[in-house]
Amino acid sequence: MKMVDIATNLQAIRDKIVAASAKRALEYKYFEPQLVAVSKFHPAEAVITAYEAGQKHFGENYVNELADKANSSDILEKCKDIRWHFIGHLQKSNVNKLLKVANLHIVETVDSEKIATALDSAWPKFRKSDDAKLKIMVQVNTSREEAKSGCEVENASSMVKYIFEKCPNLEFTGLMTIGEYGYDVSKGPNPDFLALKDVKAKVCEDLGLDTKKVELSMGMSTDYEHAIELGSSLVRVGTAIFGERPKKV
């Protein structure tokens, strides 16, 4: 796919997001879904093209790739308001490298108390102001697949409680799931999306949280419209914007 198609693809996706938003239940009308452009394996030039087409939020799956892209001179110069979402599995050994990333906006994949503690302990060394907390989401393994990261559905409330009580440098913003790949929506609503909605309701009930202040990150290139209709706050779209991913080198 040619680079010149990126702006066209972005506009098509934005139009579909608007259309899907119009189909939502009234309970979701208080927010507009946010598009996170997943630039995994795509070059910095593709990120810059998307940024110049108005896209500000970008997601990366690997710490090393994110660090290389975000700290590259071209992106630092041409994408001053870029906001990076880390959306891959995070190991404790990579926490410091991740937190050094320029314009890191949020870590969407906090899946254990160990990772939450490591982020909380390290963040003061990297934040720009004394009161700035690191935005995070708790990843939930709604599909219960062994190959996928995320805390168990039953442990979500205790994970969020731990962050509120033990991690003063973290700002919990919501819940994230990857879910089963390739689910056929003709069978009905995606059970992983329904599961994450149920987890949100349970977490809010257990901890007395305002449901309007807990976001959901679910939905990718093949199912983001469906996710939005079910109440997703953020959708992570890569292939539909940038084309098929190059092979990892």
Side-chain angles (χ1 to χ4, degrees), residues 198-234:
D198 289 343
V199 170
K200 173 181 172 177
K202 183 77 164 56
V203 167
C204 290
E205 179 183 1
D206 290 347
L207 304 181
L209 304 179
D210 182 349
T211 58
K212 290 185 176 182
K213 294 182 178 179
V214 178
E215 298 183 326
L216 295 180
S217 176
M218 58 188 193
M220 296 186 283
S221 285
T222 57
D223 55 15
Y224 67 91
E225 294 166 272
H226 179 59
I228 286 169
E229 289 181 35
L230 292 179
S232 185
S233 318
L234 298 90

Side-chain angles (χ1 to χ4, degrees), residues 58 60 63 66 83-91 94-95 98-101 103-111 115-116 119-120 123 133-139 163 170-176 217 234:
F58 291 81
E60 284 287 341
V63 172
L66 173 55
R83 298 175 183 179
W84 290 106
H85 295 231
F86 185 70
I87 58 173
H89 179 60
L90 179 59
Q91 296 178 323
N94 282 328
V95 163
L98 174 62
L99 297 185
K100 286 180 186 175
V101 165
N103 297 307
L104 179 66
H105 179 66
I106 188 170
V107 180
E108 291 196 23
T109 48
V110 176
D111 60 1
I115 288 297
L119 290 167
D120 181 72
W123 182 238
K133 294 188 175 185
L134 174 66
K135 288 180 167 55
I136 63 99
M137 302 185 98
V138 168
Q139 182 178 358
I163 289 163
L170 304 185
E171 178 186 345
F172 169 75
T173 66
L175 303 163
M176 177 265 210
S217 176
L234 298 90

Side-chain angles (χ1 to χ4, degrees), residues 46-183:
V47 172
I48 293 167
T49 299
Y51 182 90
E52 290 175 345
Q55 181 63 28
K56 295 294 187 289
H57 291 260
F58 291 81
E60 284 287 341
N61 292 69
Y62 299 105
V63 172
N64 288 340
E65 184 178 4
L66 173 55
D68 289 344
K69 268 184 204 164
N71 298 316
S72 73
S73 57
D74 282 348
I75 286 183
L76 288 172
E77 178 187 346
K78 297 178 181 178
C79 309
K80 295 189 184 301
D81 296 324
I82 198 167
R83 298 175 183 179
W84 290 106
H85 295 231
F86 185 70
I87 58 173
H89 179 60
L90 179 59
Q91 296 178 323
K92 187 178 178 182
S93 59
N94 282 328
V95 163
N96 283 350
K97 187 165 190 177
L98 174 62
L99 297 185
K100 286 180 186 175
V101 165
N103 297 307
L104 179 66
H105 179 66
I106 188 170
V107 180
E108 291 196 23
T109 48
V110 176
D111 60 1
S112 68
E113 293 179 1
K114 179 179 75 172
I115 288 297
T117 300
L119 290 167
D120 181 72
S121 299
W123 182 238
K125 295 181 288 186
F126 301 98
R127 62 184 169 194
K128 301 294 189 294
S129 61
D130 290 341
D131 60 347
K133 294 188 175 185
L134 174 66
K135 288 180 167 55
I136 63 99
M137 302 185 98
V138 168
Q139 182 178 358
V140 183
N141 187 355
T142 52
S143 59
R144 302 180 186 272
E145 296 174 72
E146 288 187 14
K148 289 204 170 74
S149 301
C151 73
E152 294 181 2
V153 168
E154 295 79 10
N155 295 337
S157 289
S158 60
M159 262 289 299
V160 175
K161 184 180 183 200
Y162 180 87
I163 289 163
F164 275 115
E165 293 182 350
K166 304 294 185 182
C167 302
N169 296 309
L170 304 185
E171 178 186 345
F172 169 75
T173 66
L175 303 163
M176 177 265 210
T177 191
I178 294 174
E180 178 189 349
Y181 292 118
Y183 175 77

